């Protein structure tokens, strides 16, 4: 009788992972991923002085500023009755880019003095000494023209950067650096935590890959939509009347949009791969039933 009772005893079905919990956790994961992704983009582009300097150096306007600087020096020297060739370089391209990098870092730091006058003066003095010796001009003129030339070059940086919307933009955005860093760190921790909860609920890697992949795909799509909306708006066109400053700002914004596109594509690829891995669970179950 005991054997018959054991035979007719119905099998208790295995509990399936609670889809409702997994979906809710995936929703939270997606929201956190979007917020963290936006914070990551801001932190690595807008709030990154190295990224800004590197981006601006690639723009033709920097060359224009460089040529404008040497021309201004030559014109200033001509005021003392000294005629020089127009291709004379009193600041080298390398020195100019180094100075521009310092200016950008000082703008990010909110420093009142964005130009290192002593460093700039030393550069001009060194190059001026070499040019004077080659042209056979009196060495005593260096002391006479050095201070005015330094002020002339400093004014070029000030007019194109410090007295433009670029300066106010950098000062404003730098004030939120700490908040963005906090959001990014907390977001990364939350992503790991929510991913762990989904894994505990699913109790297998295939289900975890499935829901995690959905989160990354939706996040990537949202970032992609934001990038496209950012591209089609004219919000930042001609933001400043200064032509050089405006061109530099447009180049900077284009670099940010490129970073957004890269991140969006990366998340879509990761999400797609994860979803494909999640479908392997169904193939595995179908294979077992077929046997």
């Amino acid at each position: 009788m005991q054997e018959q009772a054991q035979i007719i005893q119905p099998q208790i079905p295995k509990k399936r992972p609670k889809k409702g919990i997994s979906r809710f956790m995936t929703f939270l994961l997606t929201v956190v991923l979007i917020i963290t992704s936006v914070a990551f983009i801001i932190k690595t582009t807008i709030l990154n002085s190295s990224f800004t300097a590197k981006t601006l150096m690639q723009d033709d306007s920097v060359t224009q500023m460089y040529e404008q600087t040497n021309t201004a020096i030559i014109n200033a020297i001509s005021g003392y009755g000294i005629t020089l060739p127009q291709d004379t370089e009193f600041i080298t391209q390398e020195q100019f880019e180094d100075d521009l990098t310092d200016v950008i870092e000082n703008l990010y730091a909110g420093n009142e003095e964005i130009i290192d006058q002593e460093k700039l003066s030393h550069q001009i003095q060194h190059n001026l000494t070499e040019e004077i010796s080659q042209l056979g001009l009196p060495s005593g003129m260096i002391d006479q023209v050095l201070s005015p030339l330094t002020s002339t070059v400093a004014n070029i940086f000030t007019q194109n950067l410090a007295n433009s919307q670029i300066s106010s933009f950098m000062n404003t955005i730098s004030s939120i650096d700490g908040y963005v860093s906090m959001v990014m760190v907390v977001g990364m921790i939350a992503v790991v935590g929510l991913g762990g909860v989904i894994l505990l609920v699913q109790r297998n890697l295939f289900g975890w890959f499935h829901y995690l992949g959905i989160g990354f795909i939706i996040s990537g799509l949202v970032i992609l939509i934001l990038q496209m909306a950012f591209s089609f708006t004219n919000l930042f066109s001609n933001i400043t009347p200064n032509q050089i400053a405006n061109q530099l700002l447009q180049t900077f914004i284009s670099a940010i949009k490129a970073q957004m596109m890269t991140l969006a594509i990366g998340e879509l690829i990761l999400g797609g791969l994860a979803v494909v891995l999640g479908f392997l669970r169904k193939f595995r179950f179908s294979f077992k039933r077929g046997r």
Side-chain angles (χ1 to χ4, degrees):
M1 293 292 294
Q2 290 181 349
E3 293 180 356
Q4 290 180 352
Q6 290 178 356
I7 293 174
I8 63 174
Q9 186 176 6
Q11 289 184 338
I12 300 175
K14 294 182 179 180
K15 293 183 178 180
R16 299 180 63 185
K18 298 180 179 179
K19 290 186 177 180
I21 297 177
S22 296
R23 289 171 179 170
F24 179 69
M25 290 295 110
T26 302
F27 170 76
L28 293 179
L29 175 69
T30 303
V31 173
V32 172
L33 269 174
I34 294 171
I35 296 174
T36 305
S37 297
V38 172
F40 176 79
I41 291 170
I42 295 175
K43 183 67 177 178
T44 56
T45 57
I46 299 176
L47 295 176
N48 190 335
S49 60
S50 297
F51 173 84
T52 302
K54 182 179 178 181
T55 300
L56 297 186
M57 293 304 173
Q58 299 172 356
D59 192 84
D60 293 337
S61 296
V62 172
T63 302
Q64 186 178 345
M65 280 182 63
Y66 170 67
E67 294 173 351
Q68 178 185 356
T69 300
N70 277 303
T71 301
I73 295 176
I74 293 172
N75 292 338
I77 292 178
S78 66
Y80 294 88
I82 301 171
T83 303
L84 296 173
Q86 289 297 314
D87 58 350
T88 306
E89 291 186 344
F90 291 99
I91 291 184
T92 65
Q93 183 87 28
E94 184 179 355
Q95 289 173 336
F96 182 81
E97 292 181 356
D98 185 51
D99 293 335
L100 182 58
T101 301
D102 290 341
V103 169
I104 293 172
E105 290 178 351
N106 287 328
L107 285 173
Y108 267 92
N111 298 331
E112 293 184 5
E113 295 292 333
I114 67 167
I115 306 291
D116 188 341
Q117 297 274 355
E118 184 177 352
K119 178 182 177 182
L120 190 60
S121 177
H122 177 73
Q123 290 173 348
I124 295 175
Q125 182 181 20
H126 178 268
N127 297 334
L128 191 60
T129 302
E130 290 186 351
E131 292 296 335
I132 285 177
S133 63
Q134 292 177 6
L135 295 172
L137 298 173
S139 59
M141 67 162 286
I142 294 179
D143 296 334
Q144 184 181 5
V145 302
L146 183 58
S147 179
L149 293 183
T150 302
S151 298
T152 298
V153 176
N155 287 335
I156 292 175
F157 283 113
T158 302
Q159 291 170 4
N160 288 304
L161 294 174
N163 291 342
S164 68
Q165 293 296 327
I166 291 180
S167 176
S168 59
F169 174 77
M170 289 180 178
N171 289 334
T172 301
I173 205 69
S174 295
S175 64
I176 65 172
D177 190 8
Y179 299 104
V180 173
S181 298
M182 182 180 64
V183 169
M184 190 171 67
V185 172
V186 173
M188 289 179 177
I189 295 173
V191 167
V192 174
L194 290 169
V197 172
I198 295 174
L199 180 61
L200 290 175
V201 172
Q202 286 295 307
R203 297 195 299 274
N204 68 82
L205 285 175
F206 292 106
W208 180 71
F209 278 129
H210 175 75
Y211 286 104
L212 199 67
I214 291 175
F216 272 96
I217 288 176
I218 296 176
S219 176
L221 287 174
V222 170
I223 299 300
L224 187 61
I225 292 172
L226 288 176
Q227 193 272 346
M228 294 174 65
F230 197 28
S231 299
F232 287 119
T233 58
N234 295 322
L235 182 63
F236 297 100
S237 61
N238 299 321
I239 195 171
T240 171
N242 187 307
Q243 183 179 359
I244 291 179
N246 187 67
Q247 181 59 43
L248 291 174
L249 190 59
Q250 297 307 315
T251 300
F252 182 54
I253 292 172
S254 297
I256 295 173
K257 291 188 288 188
Q259 289 287 90
M260 293 177 68
M261 176 68 76
T262 300
L263 181 62
I265 293 175
E267 289 189 355
L268 289 171
I269 292 174
L270 285 175
L273 291 174
V275 169
V276 170
L277 288 173
F279 278 120
L280 292 178
R281 175 180 58 176
K282 296 182 178 181
F283 293 138
R284 186 185 67 172
F285 289 156
S286 299
F287 178 74
K288 284 184 177 181
R289 289 177 185 148
R291 294 176 59 184

